[in-house]
Amino acid sequence: MDNGLTTHLWQQLWHGLRAASDAVPQVTFHGDAQLCSLYPVTELASTSIALAMQAAADLIGNPHPLEVNTALASRWFQHSFRPINRPAPALWDPFAGDYPTADGWIRLHTNAPHHRAAMESVLGQHADRASLAVAVSQWNKTALEDAVVVAGGCAAEMRSVEAWQQHPQGQAVRREALIEQALQPEGPAPTWRLFPARPLHGVRVLDLTRIIAGPVATRFLAGLGAEVLRLDPPGWEEPSLEEEVTLGKRCARLDLKSAQGRKHFEALLSQADVLVHGYRADALSALGYDAQTRQKLSPGLVDVSLNAWGWTGPWRNRRGFDSLVQMGCGIADSGRQWKQRDAPSPLPVQALDHATGYLMAAAVLEGLRQRLLHNTGYTARLSLARTACLLTDNPYPESEQPQGLGPLKPQDENVEIEITPWGMGYRLRSPVWLPGTPLIWSRAASRLGSANAEWQ
């Protein structure tokens, strides 16, 4: 697959990471199958994964051109692990989903218990979705969105692309860079060896991310050999995703709101090379860890952060997830029109999450390259809403109708069985090939909180 959209997206991503004057590297994209969507989801999957791997190649000076299997790239945006002799976990809470309102549609995100409780504080407790749907139908979509958000929950009304472009938050996001980057004060010279076969061996990555983009980023870094330590607060669980996103990592728990937890966190951060976090815009600052403090605790730190709705504008601190951003920015409505349906029609995968995850990984690798060149620290900020612009700006031509990927093939998966705490299964093969620098994970997926909060 080497259509014009692939080339266009690849150029946009490359120049989003590097200066516009830098020559665009050559990448070969193999395959014709595409995810069925109005938008170039397969092209975004292929080019975002390519960007992360090209950033790794540049870090170590590997001159070989990349090759990307576009079907495998698309499948990694679906799920990378297939359990054997057991069902895959449910991805959604029973009450999560799209509901008609008195004047349109709204999506309620209730996977986390406290988000479900916030929704119920507005709409009441219900025995089933049908009962909840009756309650939702009495509301105006904007009023219900506001009420759930004020209650501490997560919701998004379905807007058109045009409405989002006129919305203050949509306008703010459009003014933001795809990857906002800045060099920070100098730190000590790094001591990494950067072996081509394991480029990030010896690089310590502190992972403060959850569902899904941030964990995808740190999973990729682990595949290049980084020591990734994921920290979650006590009680946080991701039962539908652990086997997917903890591959290659050690997972521990730490309470950043306790004095002992803060002291422990600061010690870990002081020894980290990279921090990846997905808190809302001002959340870490509210805990006393703004960007300047993080650099002081770990001079030369590569600090990459994610937000859902963008870093400027009135929604910069609003909770959000991929499915909500698709509703709010017009993707679900455009899909509805494309499929000639009444109900919202989102992307076939959570492409905003996955693509942004690989862009975050690319930013980390670019930050490590800058550290090697200049001994400086580095910060980068990305958002799901800004990534969404890549799709809404580039729909397929009307004459092009993707037909889907077709069934999974035996050669799409690794031959070896992966054994995890939940059982056995098969992991997809890597979708990208860089001679001499494979993606290999040295640890199987693990349960949250299964390791000690310490560097090895």
Side-chain angles (χ1 to χ4, degrees), residues 96-361:
D98 303 331
Y99 294 85
T101 65
D103 61 344
W105 287 84
I106 194 167
R107 184 169 184 86
L108 303 176
H109 198 290
T110 57
N111 274 16
H114 59 292
H115 293 159
R116 178 167 167 176
M119 178 275 290
E120 291 175 340
S121 73
V122 175
L123 292 165
Q125 294 186 345
H126 296 270
D128 51 39
R129 284 182 66 96
S131 174
L132 176 60
V134 172
V136 172
S137 69
Q138 309 303 308
W139 281 77
N140 170 279
K141 60 183 181 179
T142 303
L144 181 55
E145 178 188 68
D146 290 342
V148 172
V149 169
V150 169
C154 299
E157 67 169 91
M158 184 174 71
R159 292 177 176 84
S160 67
V161 171
E162 294 74 21
W164 177 243
Q165 290 174 346
Q166 296 171 15
H167 191 281
Q169 190 59 37
Q171 293 177 351
V173 166
R174 280 208 159 271
R175 292 190 290 267
E176 297 179 5
L178 179 64
I179 305 173
E180 182 185 305
Q181 306 171 68
L183 297 181
Q184 300 298 325
E186 289 188 13
T191 58
W192 323 307
R193 298 290 299 278
L194 299 181
F195 299 104
R198 299 300 278 163
L200 300 188
H201 179 73
V203 175
R204 289 175 167 175
V205 178
L206 198 58
D207 179 359
L208 301 184
T209 67
R210 303 172 205 149
I211 313 167
I212 293 173
V216 165
T218 51
R219 181 181 67 187
F220 185 88
L221 299 175
L224 293 172
E227 181 184 352
V228 178
L229 178 61
R230 170 170 167 160
L231 299 179
D232 289 285
W236 177 261
E237 300 293 346
E238 290 179 15
S240 64
L241 293 168
E242 280 176 286
E243 213 164 12
E244 276 288 324
V245 299
T246 62
L247 180 65
K249 310 174 189 180
R250 295 171 55 250
C251 302
R253 295 197 183 278
L254 201 62
D255 184 0
L256 296 186
K257 295 182 179 179
S258 73
Q260 183 177 1
R262 291 169 63 85
K263 183 177 180 180
H264 197 160
F265 170 71
E266 291 172 13
L268 291 171
L269 182 59
S270 71
Q271 300 172 60
D273 302 294
V274 176
L275 176 66
V276 183
H277 49 105
Y279 285 78
R280 283 175 290 150
D282 295 331
L284 274 183
S285 296
L287 290 170
Y289 299 116
D290 60 19
Q292 292 74 24
T293 301
R294 299 194 298 267
Q295 288 290 332
K296 289 179 181 178
L297 288 168
S298 183
L301 181 70
V302 173
D303 187 330
V304 175
S305 54
L306 165 74
N307 202 354
W309 295 103
W311 293 93
T312 58
W315 286 11
R316 63 189 301 271
N317 280 307
R318 177 172 288 209
R319 296 174 177 86
F321 296 93
D322 180 303
S323 59
L324 299 179
V325 176
Q326 288 193 43
M327 283 288 277
C329 75
I331 289 175
D333 180 63
S334 295
R336 176 190 67 81
Q337 297 178 54
W338 183 64
K339 290 188 174 182
Q340 299 181 345
R341 298 177 54 190
D342 292 329
S345 184
L347 303 175
V349 294
Q350 296 193 63
L352 307 183
D353 262 330
H354 288 270
T356 307
Y358 289 108
L359 300 187
M360 292 172 71

Side-chain angles (χ1 to χ4, degrees), residues 80-82 84 413-417 424-428:
S80 69
F81 190 79
R82 179 172 63 87
I84 300 175
E413 297 176 322
N414 291 323
V415 175
E416 302 83 5
I417 291 176
M424 298 184 297
Y426 288 103
R427 187 76 61 175
L428 285 175

